Amino acid sequence: MNETLIYTIAILVGLGLAAAVILYFVAQKFKVYEDPRIDETEAKLPGANCGGCGFPGCRGMAEALVKSDDISALYCPVGGAATMKSVAEYLGKAVAEKEPAVAVVRCGGTYGCRPRINTFNGARSCLVEASLYGGETGCTFGCLGNGDCTRACNFDAIHMNPETGLPEVDEERCTACGACVKACPKQIIELRKKGVKGRRVCVYCVNKDKGAVTRKACSAGCIGCGKCVKTCPFEAIALENNLAYIDPEKCRLCRKCVAVCPTGAIAAVNFPTPAPKPEPAAAAQETTIAQQEGGEQHA
């Protein structure tokens, strides 16, 4: 009995050792080498895992940065230029400079501009509503107002304004990750460069209907009149499918298009408020006083 037990234990120990040796050689044979720089690069990234870089997470971005000889096409919108510069210096690679961007909601159709013609009683989701019909207003292109974009944002940078019914972007918190862009079924949210001091001029409309149809559906929509195109001295505005679009690369922020837009579909943001012009009577009085003071000094 004791000999049988000893033999059994010896056989089991031998099988265990043999299996261990086999597993060791198999592991060495199929071992996958991972560059240790991937961990270091991932540590330099913000860890948001938002997908704004085009990869499912920061780990995927780190692997691409390490394995790619040319990283000029790779960019982390959350970390921005500072993070990319730090990564490039660590990896000894060159990275292209990229201007900061921000999400822009290209719809000015507030509650007051777009009259409701029906009521949607389904799930409060833009994706669901867009898959069923055009929306509660006559404009089938504009914001549905159900807040899919706000729920998609991981940085609490976009909120629905209850007074206008439109989403508003907090530019200080927005990282331009693009999550809200992907979440909007109407494709009214666009990533645009922030511009100098955050100043931008943009057409806040995506309606491609003819002018008369657009005007009936929304008083703030682009009617495709082309006045902005003719006015722009930098050829930064194009008119296609009854809709004007301002190229942020060509726009020089002169704001001449804002002044001639008949519906107010073009707006300038983050510009200083101009000082109010004095009343004609007050201006004439100030001129008279100045002339009198000048005459007294001359005398």
Side-chain angles (χ1 to χ4, degrees), residues 241-296:
N241 294 326
N242 308 306
L243 179 65
Y245 180 80
I246 300 176
D247 186 343
E249 300 299 328
K250 295 181 179 180
C251 180
R252 294 296 178 267
L253 307 178
C254 68
R255 291 177 287 170
K256 292 182 178 180
C257 55
V258 178
V260 299
C261 181
T263 63
I266 304 178
V269 296
N270 297 329
F271 284 84
T273 304
K277 295 181 179 180
E279 296 293 331
Q285 185 177 2
E286 290 177 0
T287 302
T288 302
I289 294 174
Q291 291 176 346
Q292 291 176 351
E293 290 177 351
E296 291 175 358

Side-chain angles (χ1 to χ4, degrees), residues 106-109 113-114 139 141-142 202-229 237-246 257 260-267:
R106 293 186 56 217
C107 179
C113 297
R114 290 188 293 165
C139 177
F141 294 88
C202 183
V203 179
Y204 288 88
C205 181
V206 295
N207 196 324
K208 296 179 181 179
D209 286 330
K210 292 185 178 181
V213 178
T214 300
R215 188 183 288 274
K216 184 178 180 180
C218 178
S219 60
C222 174
I223 57 176
C225 64
K227 290 184 177 180
C228 54
V229 179
I237 308 177
L239 185 64
E240 185 177 353
N241 294 326
N242 308 306
L243 179 65
Y245 180 80
I246 300 176
C257 55
V260 299
C261 181
T263 63
I266 304 178

Side-chain angles (χ1 to χ4, degrees), residues 165-217:
L166 297 173
E168 294 182 350
V169 177
D170 184 339
E171 297 188 11
E172 296 299 321
R173 292 185 175 184
C174 180
T175 62
C177 69
C180 57
V181 178
K182 298 175 184 177
C184 179
K186 293 292 186 177
Q187 299 179 344
I188 66 168
I189 306 180
E190 175 188 359
L191 295 181
R192 295 177 72 92
K193 67 176 185 178
K194 276 190 174 182
V196 180
K197 297 183 180 180
R199 297 172 183 175
R200 297 180 304 280
V201 178
C202 183
V203 179
Y204 288 88
C205 181
V206 295
N207 196 324
K208 296 179 181 179
D209 286 330
K210 292 185 178 181
V213 178
T214 300
R215 188 183 288 274
K216 184 178 180 180

